[in-house]
Structure formats: C-alpha cells, structure tokens
Amino acid sequence: MSRPRWVVLAAVVSVAMLLAAGCANKGGGGAQSAACKSDPFGCQVYKSGQPIKIATLLAITGANRNLGIDSQRGVQLAVDNLDGKLDGKPGQLLGHNVTLEFGDETCSKEGGQAGATKLVADPTILTVIGTSCSSAALGVADTIFSKKGVLLISPSNTSPALTSSAQHQPFYLRTAHNDKIQGAVVADFAKVKLGAKTAATIHDNSPYSDGLAAVFRDVFQKQGGTVTDNEAIDATQRDFKPVLNGIAQHKPDFLYYPAFVPACALIAKQARTIPALANTKLAGSDGCADPQYTSIGGKDVFGTWDSSPNVTAQTSANAFYGQQFLPAYQREFGQTPVSVFNAHAWDAAQILFAAVQKVAKNDNGTLTIPRTALKDAVYATKDYKGLSGMISCTSLGDCATAVSIAVYKVPDWPVAGGTPNPKPVFTETKTLAQVSSG
C-alpha cells in the first residue's frame, strides 16, 4: 500500500529539520555554522558543561625533564588563575572548566614525532603548548599540528630556524626569544665584558645548540674576534676530554657550549682538569639552566657563566611575578623554579585564553571556536604585557621581539639550588629587528 504524497513530503521535511538541527548543534548554528564551513580546519565545539581541553607537549621525562616540568607548571598556574586566584584550584574560561593533558616529547625529534602524533589524534584538544626543545618541534611537531590546524605555542623553543621564512609552519608560534638575540648577547658579553679575543664553541648538533653556537660565532667574528674551534659532540657521550684537548691546543679566551644537561655540566667539569684551559672562561646557555648542572658538575662548575632570559628583570618589572606568581609556584609545587621559562609558559596560556575569548561563539553554553580564526587572533597579539616581557607576535611566529638576556655567574643564578635573589653580571636588551638586520 502506498502512502499519500503529503505523508512522504512531511517525512522528508522532518528528516531535513532534524539534520539541520544536528548541523546547527555541531557548528553553533547560523553564522557559526557558516564560519565553520568556511574554515579549512573547521571548528572545535564544546557543549555546555564540557571542559575545554588544552594539551602540553613538553620534555617531562629524561635528562632534560626539569625544562619541561618548569614550563608545565607555568601553564598549570595560568589555568589556576583563570578566576584571578592563584589558589591551586582551576578557574573557568567562558563558563567552561579547562582540563590539561600532559604529553612528553623527551627533548628529541623522535619524542616530538610520537607525542604530536598521539595528541593530534584526539579531536577534543583545542591547542597545544609546547615543545620544550627545538629538536622536538622543527619539521616534526610544528608540521604535524599545522597540517591539522592545531595551534602549537612554545614557551622555550629558541632555534632561529623555527621562525625562518623557509621553515616556519603556519600554526606555530613561540613566546620564547629567538636565539638570534641570545647568541648576539653572549658574543657581546665575551667580547665587551670579558675582553675575549679568541673563542671556541661546542654544540650537540641539535637545532637549538647548533643554531645558538652559529649565531655566537658569526657575531663574535664580526666584532673582530677569532673563532679557534667549532666542535660537534654526541649528546649521549660522557667523555669530552678528547674534544677539549683539541680545543686546548689553541688556548681560547672563551669556550661556549650551549648544550643540555648532562653534557654541558660534564664539558665544564672536564675542562677544569685541562691545564691549557685554566685561563679560558667557560659559558653555557639556558639549556644548562637546570639544577643538574651543579649537581653533576659540583664546585667545578661554580664560576662558569650561563645566559638565559633575564629573570631578575622579570621580577623587578612585574610585581605580580615576584609577589604572587613565584610564591604560588613554591606553594603549589614545593620548590623554587627548576628552569627559566615558567613565565613564558604562563604567557603562552594567557595569549591563548585571550584569543579564545575573542573568537569563541557562545550559544547557550555551547562554545564554537573556528580553528583558523583562533590562530589569527593569537597572531594578532600586540603589546601584551606578559610576565616574560612585552609580547607582539610577528607573521613568522616570534612573539618576543624585544628581549632582555642576562648572563649569570653560577651558582648565583635563578635556578633551584642557586643563591637567593641572584644578580646577573651582564644584561642586554636587543630587538629581533636589530639582530636580523645585521
């Protein structure tokens, strides 16, 4: 028996209405739905009562775990402060709880590949804050997330390659400085402050270490200095005396080893045993800014130098950092900061939260967030006064464009186990435009 035509038509209309309702819920309805359809990566939708999910992809295991743990804590504190209270209890963003998933990139290319692949497969994740190490991002995590339209905001990647026009990925940004700045400041310290005429470098072939040493050499030579040696090491090695003995033949005034622990601690410790290097000044950078540097190196590394973000300036320039953030850090985690990028991680979370508030559409508690619009809003960040300094993002993802770098004399440095209220022996502020034009 055939149904009357009006019955069939009514059924078709009913199905169409149900489908339309389903699409409206998925895309936020009306204008939101159109925005989602026009976005190449669609929208992230969180229904009323559903938490906003943010992930971190940081080095939280292995030798460089303190670097990632410190940044992870900065993100946790940012979530706790969403209600304006650093009381250890998470606040809400646009009426939604914010949950964190902690991924691990082990400070390696392989770890970045595995960690990013796992996180990008979770469709409920809005954004990722990471990575710790440039090697885990460059051509790995930055590419994996960009292909899916997932923002990756790093608090501590500093390799110049990540924001170069040739290699930058569109959904990648960083609140950390570009090592074009740090390398130039270390060269100024060696040449101007210490009066070094000759220098040697050691790097571990990672994008961070190799890139930073290269900038230092370039600037030092432009200043009239002579580079006697440039040595590459395997970071898994433990005996660096053959490399150091080769460098010692030229007796450089300055030896720069921007690597990670334990390698940088062992380089400094073993250099102390070589008579021909007795008058050579020894220096690392923020990859060495870890309590393990002194626990491995002992008193042999006391008196060596270390460059990093100017934490002393952060504390004096921003009352919130010194009077609320640092006490909350110690209260919640039971120790002073274990590395120097906690403020940058906080800032990464803050510019993300601001962008979500700007682009999210709220339909009776359901949030619809277009992924490309979110990316564009973060990139549009301008003159934001962060804990780490002023933040204005460029089209290539550098958000720290005027940076103060400090050189500290170990153990008078801003790392757990160091002396209270450390004072840098040298500070310099440079803009990205200055160091890029040279």
Side-chain angles (χ1 to χ4, degrees):
M1 183 177 68
S2 63
R3 293 183 176 86
R5 182 174 297 176
W6 68 266
V7 174
V8 176
L9 180 60
V12 170
V13 171
S14 297
V15 171
M17 290 176 66
L18 287 172
L19 289 173
C23 290
N25 288 334
K26 183 177 180 181
Q32 293 104 304
S33 180
C36 295
K37 288 179 180 178
S38 65
D39 191 311
F41 300 102
C43 290
Q44 183 64 54
V45 178
Y46 295 106
K47 295 182 179 179
S48 180
Q50 184 180 6
I52 297 170
K53 191 171 184 180
I54 296 170
T56 62
L57 182 58
L58 302 162
I60 55 175
T61 64
N64 298 286
R65 61 190 176 276
N66 284 326
L67 177 60
I69 289 171
D70 185 63
S71 291
Q72 181 175 290
R73 290 171 174 175
V75 177
Q76 287 177 270
L77 289 171
V79 173
D80 291 349
N81 194 58
L82 278 167
D83 58 0
K85 301 175 183 178
L86 278 173
D87 56 5
K89 299 176 182 178
Q92 289 191 326
L93 180 60
L94 296 176
H96 288 247
N97 292 333
V98 175
T99 61
L100 295 173
E101 179 169 338
F102 302 132
D104 187 11
E105 44 93 324
T106 68
C107 198
S108 68
K109 181 177 181 178
E110 296 76 16
Q113 175 82 31
T117 300
K118 179 180 178 181
L119 291 178
V120 83
D122 183 346
T124 66
I125 291 175
L126 176 65
T127 303
V128 180
I129 296 177
T131 60
S132 296
C133 299
S134 297
S135 55
L138 184 61
V140 190
D142 64 349
T143 304
I144 291 171
F145 289 121
S146 280
K147 285 182 176 178
K148 295 294 184 179
V150 177
L151 268 173
L152 178 64
I153 312 174
S154 174
S156 64
N157 291 165
T158 57
S159 169
L162 281 158
T163 54
S164 68
S165 58
Q167 299 185 72
H168 175 248
Q169 296 297 316
F171 278 75
Y172 173 87
L173 304 94
R174 60 179 170 203
T175 52
H177 59 265
N178 186 316
D179 272 334
K180 287 183 179 181
I181 295 175
Q182 182 166 218
V185 172
V186 176
D188 287 349
F189 169 68
K191 195 77 175 61
V192 178
K193 177 72 174 180
L194 298 182
K197 295 180 180 178
T198 58
T201 61
I202 297 175
H203 66 87
D204 65 10
N205 281 314
S206 68
Y208 159 77
S209 182
D210 188 16
L212 186 46
V215 173
F216 168 83
R217 291 193 304 272
D218 181 57
V219 175
F220 187 74
Q221 290 176 117
K222 286 179 179 177
Q223 294 173 333
T226 299
V227 174
T228 61
D229 298 271
N230 170 35
E231 297 291 340
I233 60 167
D234 179 346
T236 64
Q237 288 178 254
R238 295 296 177 264
D239 181 9
F240 299 107
K241 287 184 180 178
V243 171
L244 291 167
N245 279 319
I247 291 172
Q249 293 180 28
H250 300 106
K251 297 182 179 180
D253 298 326
F254 189 80
L255 174 58
Y256 185 41
Y257 43 88
F260 294 97
V261 291
C264 56
L266 293 171
I267 289 169
K269 184 178 181 68
Q270 291 167 21
R272 295 293 201 197
T273 68
I274 299 175
L277 294 177
N279 296 320
T280 299
K281 305 299 183 183
L282 308 176
S285 277
D286 37 35
C288 304
D290 186 303
Q292 296 176 90
Y293 183 73
T294 53
S295 65
I296 294 170
K299 291 189 176 180
D300 286 330
V301 303
F302 285 17
T304 62
W305 315 96
D306 185 83
S307 70
S308 76
N310 191 346
V311 177
T312 305
Q314 290 174 193
T315 305
S316 61
N318 196 311
F320 180 86
Y321 185 71
Q323 297 174 16
Q324 296 187 57
F325 179 89
L326 291 178
Y329 187 111
Q330 185 155 14
R331 188 169 58 247
E332 188 161 338
F333 306 115
Q335 62 185 149
T336 54
V338 292
S339 191
V340 291
F341 289 103
N342 47 77
H344 300 75
W346 166 284
D347 289 342
Q350 297 299 335
I351 63 174
L352 169 63
F353 298 157
V356 170
Q357 291 173 323
K358 183 177 180 180
V359 305
K361 304 299 181 183
N362 194 335
D363 182 10
N364 294 320
T366 294
L367 296 183
T368 303
I369 308 170
R371 289 194 172 276
T372 301
L374 179 63
K375 181 259 293 183
D376 291 343
V378 175
Y379 268 89
T381 301
K382 183 177 175 62
D383 297 333
Y384 168 76
K385 187 178 181 181
L387 294 189
S388 63
M390 195 66 73
I391 294 176
S392 295
C393 300
T394 71
S395 61
L396 290 174
D398 272 311
C399 297
T401 54
V403 178
S404 177
I405 297 292
V407 178
Y408 294 90
K409 193 171 187 177
V410 179
D412 189 24
W413 65 339
V415 176
T419 57
N421 304 313
K423 294 180 175 58
V425 297
F426 183 82
T427 63
E428 200 167 41
T429 299
K430 289 182 181 288
T431 67
L432 190 55
Q434 284 176 323
V435 297
S436 297
S437 62

